Amino acid sequence: MHASLLTGGLQVDAFERDFAAMVGAKHAVAVCNATAALHLAMRVLGVGAGDRVVTSPNTFLASANAAAFVGAVPDFSDIDDRFHNLDPALLEKTWQADTKAVVAVDYAGQPCNMPEIARIARARGAYVVEDACHGVGGGFRVGGKNWKLGGHSWADITTFSFHPVKTMTTGEGGMLVTDNDEWAVKARLLRSHGVTRDPADFIGLSDSPSSISDLHSSVLAERGPWYYEMQDLGYNYRITDIQCALGRSQLGRLPQFLASRREVAARYSEALADLDWVVLPALSANQACATSPEFSFTLTDLSLHLYTILIDFAALGTTRTKFMQFMAERGVGTQVLYIPVYLQPWYRRTYGYQEGKCPVAERFYSRAISLPMFAGLSDDDQHRVISALRSFI
Ligand SMILES: *Cc1c(COP(=O)(O)O)cnc(C)c1O
């Protein structure tokens, strides 16, 4: 079988086309995971040493690590108390001149206020990357018009993950989405060692004077059908055709996955609404976006990855560990997402970050509990989660 039937072939092209059409973007570049997509975003935008990249502390490590991969300084701006995403007002207030990009993370699938973040970043010459790993297929409204994550102009590049815990999967996989032709070409080049075999793209060998014989030089300069060029320092970030065939099938089922997750979230919100010791996720933003009143979303716009509630364990005279144990004894797995990235030992050691840097994210972390949330969670199982939770007090 020819290698291009298994990797870098027609299924990859088709998945990219289908995905770009789904979000409403010009280009989608499929890669082996979203960490690779974030890394390529940094490379394509020319982020490097001497640059700062600001992201949310309330995210998976990769959103910040991508900046470190290219020698830039990953930095963190605090989240807002309601949606747990980058707070645009704080982003603007704490802006530093060497910031080259903002990585906005749509925590749990609740979208960041992208028009506001783009306004702040672009006025200062910085790029906007949206890490939409939690929100594939989701979106928001601006001025009554619906926009999908990846399909709006307030992000320069958007990334998605197809890890099995995410809303749609290819086993492992990721996508970089952009409307910029040049960046898409560059991302594809860097995805596979910076190598091209397409004569239309050849740069050619340099014409620097050679001390060797003319005959030898002409042999070296010949570009026969064997010829290939490495034009940049790239990686092996390819995704296989097998994965992309799965991705296309998952894409067809995405609307059901999204509807199922929204139903799960709605059931939690209804069943837990009367508990005064539990803070529920907002799931709609018609009220709390004073900086950009035309920005909004409701549950029906969302692709939800997590259902995270907040409990003030100390005020209840207990601990989160005890709560999680209590739930586990009743067959319910819960998670803590996320530890503020800058509190990780490597970040403290490398950049000198300390507790107190982002107080809202730290308070969020101290209270956050993510409940079981996936498409096809049965009514019975969800009742078990709800009654276990209710019986804790
Ligand atoms: C899952 C995730 C990633 C990384 O995705 P991989 O495909 O596992 O590399 C990055 N950012 C966020 C917010 C994620 O949830």
Side-chain angles (χ1 to χ4, degrees), residues 17-41:
R17 268 198 311 275
D18 292 352
F19 194 89
M22 185 275 288
V23 299
K26 207 163 161 195
H27 306 285
V29 181
V31 289
C32 54
N33 55 61
T35 305
L38 285 158
H39 185 192
L40 290 185

Side-chain angles (χ1 to χ4, degrees), residues 116-288:
E116 186 63 3
I117 288 171
R119 180 191 68 73
I120 294 161
R122 287 174 177 165
R124 292 158 179 82
Y127 294 114
V128 180
V129 175
E130 188 170 7
D131 180 345
C133 286
H134 290 191
V136 62
F140 53 79
R141 299 169 202 205
V142 174
K145 190 168 167 10
N146 282 70
W147 300 95
K148 276 228 159 66
L149 307 185
H152 61 77
S153 61
W154 296 286
D156 296 300
I157 293 179
T158 305
T159 59
F160 297 92
S161 171
F162 310 127
H163 183 276
V165 302
K166 304 293 162 64
T167 297
M168 61 172 273
T169 188
T170 57
E172 291 270 9
M175 196 70 89
L176 179 156
V177 165
T178 184
D179 280 346
N180 184 297
D181 301 340
E182 209 178 299
W183 294 341
V185 167
K186 186 152 187 203
R188 289 206 169 87
L189 192 70
L190 293 175
R191 170 173 67 181
S192 194
H193 306 288
V195 162
T196 180
R197 291 177 177 277
D198 185 346
D201 298 331
F202 290 161
I203 296 170
L205 301 171
S206 81
D207 295 327
S208 58
S210 172
S211 58
I212 52 177
S213 73
D214 286 352
L215 178 63
H216 189 58
S217 272
S218 72
V219 168
L220 289 184
E222 189 189 351
R223 297 181 206 165
W226 65 84
Y227 184 72
Y228 57 90
E229 277 186 4
M230 175 178 146
Q231 299 178 336
D232 205 335
L233 182 63
Y235 317 91
N236 178 355
Y237 281 170
R238 291 185 302 267
I239 187 169
T240 67
D241 281 72
I242 303 160
Q243 290 168 294
C244 289
L246 174 58
R248 292 178 77 194
S249 139
Q250 290 268 298
L251 211 44
R253 298 168 63 192
L254 185 61
Q256 292 157 251
F257 295 158
L258 297 188
S260 178
R261 281 171 176 263
R262 286 194 287 255
E263 273 169 39
V264 170
R267 266 185 259 144
Y268 276 137
S269 290
E270 199 189 325
L272 303 175
D274 62 316
L275 300 180
D276 60 5
W277 50 279
V278 174
V279 177
L280 304 176
L283 303 182
S284 75
N286 294 314
Q287 72 283 53

Side-chain angles (χ1 to χ4, degrees), residues 38-50:
L38 285 158
H39 185 192
L40 290 185
M42 295 293 120
R43 283 292 313 272
V44 159
L45 296 175
V47 176

Side-chain angles (χ1 to χ4, degrees), residues 264 266-272 274-275 277 327 332 371-372 379-392:
V264 170
R267 266 185 259 144
Y268 276 137
S269 290
E270 199 189 325
L272 303 175
D274 62 316
L275 300 180
W277 50 279
M327 297 295 279
V332 179
L371 300 179
D379 280 6
D380 281 359
D381 284 346
Q382 196 174 3
H383 268 118
R384 208 142 47 91
V385 179
I386 292 162
S387 57
L389 181 91
R390 295 187 67 93
S391 67
F392 182 65

Side-chain angles (χ1 to χ4, degrees), residues 321-340:
T321 305
K322 281 184 190 151
F323 172 81
M324 292 177 80
Q325 216 166 338
F326 178 90
M327 297 295 279
E329 280 159 13
R330 284 148 188 82
V332 179
T334 53
Q335 281 182 289
V336 178
L337 301 165
Y338 290 98
I339 302 170

